[in-house]
Amino acid sequence: ITSPEQEIINENLTDFIRYAARLRIEAYDSGNRRYEDGLVTTVSTDEAQELLSSSIELKRQSSKAKKPPAINWLKEAKDESSSLKHDLNAVSFEKDDDSNGHVAFVTAASNLRAIAYGITPVDQMETRKVAGKIVPAMITTTAFVSALSCIEFVKLTQKADLNLHRNAFINLALPFFAFTAPLPAEEIDGLDGSSHTIWDIIVVKESKKNNAKGGMTMKQLIRKVVSKSNTSEVKEIAVSNISWGEYMLYANFLHEDDDTLLNTPVQQLLVEAISSGDIEDEDFDSSDGEDSSSPKDLNESQLAEIDALKRRSFANLSVLVEDTETGEEAELAPIRLQWWKEQ
């Protein structure tokens, strides 16, 4: 008795051999005839499996027989290759025509590979859907880029000097290969000629005292940001906007006099922002008297986002500051607010 799993394997093996043989016949057929489904495959699945078993047994018997000298094999191969002078027919893949057997072949081949790796096989409809969404890519280029990235990663782990790292520009179609020393990170302009790069971060640490009172409030965060942003030339800096991802937490034209929001811990504001679903182009206001952090109306995505937030040790915030004298605005390097944790 054959198990259900083996039946699936046998079915895919049979389909693979059947449709691979059919495609090979079409490629070598000098008449360039179109083979409808069933014309080439005139045997049933059971008969095909029996033929497959017979061929395997025949191969076993032939392997036990006395083998001719290798020189004879080479001569026979040379004679056979010289007789193959006709051009092969190009067979173009067409996923929407069931009669050509293309999707059936791809399904059987991919299912056999999936089964080998413990992946659930799919039907022809799923294969057809996936085939319609494939973006062409060169496997060799992907392998090349992956290898070069790994080499640079090894240099990084070994703390190699910066001048030993390389940027690579490749085009296998030309072919073209060029390696250059890495360029400095692009500078982002700030206030009064100051600048930062995408790698810079301003760290604001929550104190033990803040944590004991429920966490650093928005007012305390703003003060910390202002103190870290002041320069010798710009005396008066005001925080105009604070956001976390797509959520706007603070805007001075809305919340400058909102004591409720200013005295609310930042972590609580993040939870409320996720719970309310408010984003930057909507008015975020935590003073409506409702506890938006209540889980009763939250969907699975919101609950998962809140859970991930509470498990993190920090939150990266985007902050826009303004020179109150000139009105000039600039975005600071990301503000990393680190929550207090007992050592």
Side-chain angles (χ1 to χ4, degrees):
I1 300 175
T2 306
S3 65
E5 293 79 6
Q6 188 61 45
E7 287 183 359
I8 295 175
I9 295 174
N10 291 346
E11 181 181 348
N12 282 284
L13 280 171
T14 304
D15 286 346
F16 176 79
I17 295 173
R18 172 185 288 131
Y19 292 107
R22 173 181 170 181
L23 290 172
R24 190 170 182 82
I25 290 174
E26 291 180 3
Y28 278 93
D29 181 19
S30 58
N32 198 22
R33 295 185 292 270
R34 178 180 176 82
Y35 289 89
E36 298 296 339
D37 191 30
L39 183 60
V40 176
T41 58
T42 57
V43 296
S44 66
T45 299
D46 293 337
E47 291 172 328
Q49 291 178 4
E50 184 177 350
L51 288 172
L52 178 60
S53 300
S54 300
S55 64
I56 294 174
E57 181 62 28
L58 182 62
K59 184 177 180 181
R60 289 174 180 171
Q61 294 176 0
S62 62
S63 63
K64 296 179 181 178
K66 185 177 180 180
K67 297 180 180 179
I71 189 64
N72 293 343
W73 288 356
L74 292 175
K75 289 180 179 179
E76 290 176 3
K78 181 180 177 181
D79 294 338
E80 291 177 2
S81 62
S82 62
S83 63
L84 296 175
K85 295 181 179 179
H86 59 276
D87 295 330
L88 299 180
N89 301 316
V91 181
S92 300
F93 177 73
E94 176 53 60
K95 67 181 179 64
D96 297 319
D97 185 0
D98 289 335
S99 64
N100 58 25
H102 294 176
V103 172
F105 170 74
V106 173
T107 301
S110 60
N111 279 346
L112 289 173
R113 187 169 180 82
I115 292 170
Y117 286 92
I119 301 173
T120 305
V122 299
D123 55 17
Q124 292 189 21
M125 181 58 69
E126 183 64 23
T127 300
R128 187 174 286 105
K129 287 164 58 178
V130 172
K133 298 179 181 178
I134 291 177
V135 178
M138 290 184 64
I139 298 176
T140 47
T141 302
T142 304
F144 202 155
V145 172
S146 300
L148 292 174
S149 300
C150 289
I151 291 173
E152 296 305 311
F153 182 72
V154 170
K155 294 178 185 177
L156 186 65
T157 57
Q158 294 181 345
K159 299 182 179 180
D161 293 338
L162 185 61
N163 60 357
L164 296 178
H165 289 268
R166 289 293 180 268
N167 286 331
F169 303 89
I170 62 174
N171 187 329
L172 298 183
L174 295 179
F176 173 77
F177 310 94
F179 297 89
T180 64
L183 298 173
E186 183 180 357
E187 297 284 341
I188 302 172
D189 294 334
L191 293 178
D192 187 36
S194 63
S195 63
H196 63 274
T197 71
I198 59 173
W199 303 108
D200 293 325
I201 281 182
I202 300 174
V203 178
V204 175
K205 295 183 179 180
E206 184 181 66
S207 67
K208 184 177 181 179
K209 185 178 179 181
N210 292 146
N211 180 261
K213 294 182 178 180
M216 180 180 288
T217 65
M218 178 60 72
K219 181 185 290 186
Q220 292 168 332
L221 173 63
I222 291 174
R223 287 176 181 171
K224 288 277 189 180
V225 170
V226 170
S227 67
K228 289 178 175 289
S229 305
N230 278 327
T231 65
S232 58
E233 297 296 330
V234 182
K235 302 298 182 181
E236 295 293 334
I237 289 180
V239 174
S240 57
N241 185 281
I242 298 178
S243 59
W244 178 59
E246 64 180 353
Y247 303 109
M248 185 181 72
L249 305 177
Y250 171 84
N252 59 350
F253 63 91
L254 288 174
H255 309 120
E256 190 172 22
D257 299 320
D258 187 348
D259 291 335
T260 302
L261 183 139
L262 292 173
N263 292 316
T264 302
V266 177
Q267 192 169 28
Q268 182 179 333
L269 291 175
L270 298 179
V271 173
E272 291 177 0
I274 297 172
S275 303
S276 64
D278 288 327
I279 57 176
E280 289 195 14
D281 59 354
E282 298 177 358
D283 182 11
F284 173 71
D285 189 355
S286 66
S287 60
D288 56 6
E290 296 182 3
D291 182 10
S292 57
S293 62
S294 175
K296 60 182 180 180
D297 297 325
L298 302 183
N299 57 41
E300 291 184 3
S301 176
Q302 289 173 313
L303 290 172
E305 194 170 358
I306 291 173
D307 180 62
L309 170 66
K310 292 180 177 179
R311 285 187 281 107
R312 293 194 197 106
S313 60
F314 63 87
N316 286 335
L317 307 173
S318 300
V319 178
L320 196 66
V321 295
E322 177 185 3
D323 183 345
T324 56
E325 294 183 358
T326 64
E328 180 187 2
E329 283 190 334
E331 185 174 359
L332 298 177
I335 303 294
R336 173 164 291 183
L337 176 55
Q338 291 186 342
W339 317 122
W340 166 264
K341 281 195 174 181
E342 198 73 40
Q343 300 296 328

